[in-house]
Amino acid sequence: MITYQVEKYSNCVEELKKLYPEHYEELSVTKSIPLEPNYEVYKYIEDAGILKVVTCRNDEDLIGYILFIVTPHLHYKSCITAVEDIYFVRKDYRKGRTGIKLFQFAEKYLKEQGVHRVIYGTKVHLDNSKLFEYLGYSFFEKLYSKMI
């Protein structure tokens, strides 16, 4: 049975570590930089109440997650903003509505927490724009990157 829930990062970090390599392999555009999450900073922002983690599980098995940084926006301090850090659903669970339900659950939870705005990104090579448009999100910014 697939379930959706909010979890503490510190309670599921060991399970997240098992999925990170698959996530990195599929989505990283900078493979010259090794996967090396800064777990100390994640713990710090969790302790500060800024990190929010939404997961989906098949029975006990972690099959997907979204991590958010939730703070008042630096430019609009009255606007509590959830900026997605990372999201992932295992490939074998991408058929059907598992991913859609994960995002819908996350949005409902964030709204209940007083969040006004949610911001997601998507990779160019694995573009999830159609998903976000389906969920009612608007395209509003392009980002550029350069290794120096």
Side-chain angles (χ1 to χ4, degrees):
M1 177 176 170
I2 296 178
T3 60
Y4 304 88
Q5 52 277 314
V6 177
E7 300 189 46
K8 287 188 60 153
Y9 182 80
S10 54
N11 290 345
C12 63
V13 65
E14 294 305 317
E15 294 172 283
L16 290 166
K17 287 179 182 181
K18 292 176 185 174
L19 289 182
Y20 284 168
E22 181 182 346
H23 185 166
Y24 171 83
E25 191 58 38
E26 181 178 8
L27 292 169
S28 177
V29 294
T30 52
K31 296 258 178 15
S32 61
I33 302 172
L35 176 62
E36 187 181 12
N38 192 334
Y39 295 111
E40 295 80 18
V41 172
Y42 276 106
K43 178 72 172 116
Y44 175 81
I45 62 176
E46 175 185 53
D47 290 346
I50 295 169
L51 180 64
K52 305 299 179 190
V53 180
V54 176
T55 64
C56 60
R57 294 179 175 276
N58 185 7
D59 295 323
E60 298 294 318
D61 295 330
L62 183 67
I63 61 170
Y65 51 82
I66 310 173
L67 278 62
F68 296 97
I69 309 301
V70 179
T71 62
H73 195 282
L74 290 174
H75 303 164
Y76 318 101
K77 71 179 182 177
S78 65
C79 183
I80 307 301
T81 304
V83 178
E84 161 263 318
D85 174 49
I86 54 176
Y87 61 87
F88 184 72
V89 174
R90 281 183 17 198
K91 284 183 181 181
D92 49 335
Y93 287 93
R94 292 186 191 163
K95 297 214 188 272
R97 298 184 56 83
T98 302
I100 290 170
K101 288 179 181 179
L102 174 63
F103 285 94
Q104 289 172 329
F105 179 90
E107 184 176 314
K108 182 178 183 286
Y109 162 72
L110 293 169
K111 186 173 184 175
E112 290 169 355
Q113 298 303 302
V115 170
H116 303 107
R117 183 181 194 191
V118 182
I119 299 174
Y120 285 104
T122 187
K123 300 292 187 194
V124 173
H125 74 283
L126 191 61
D127 189 349
N128 289 313
S129 295
K130 296 257 187 260
L131 167 68
F132 294 118
E133 290 167 4
Y134 173 81
L135 293 169
Y137 289 80
S138 301
F139 178 63
F140 79 105
E141 184 174 58
K142 287 186 180 184
L143 299 175
Y144 289 84
S145 174
K146 179 180 182 180
M147 298 301 295
I148 57 173

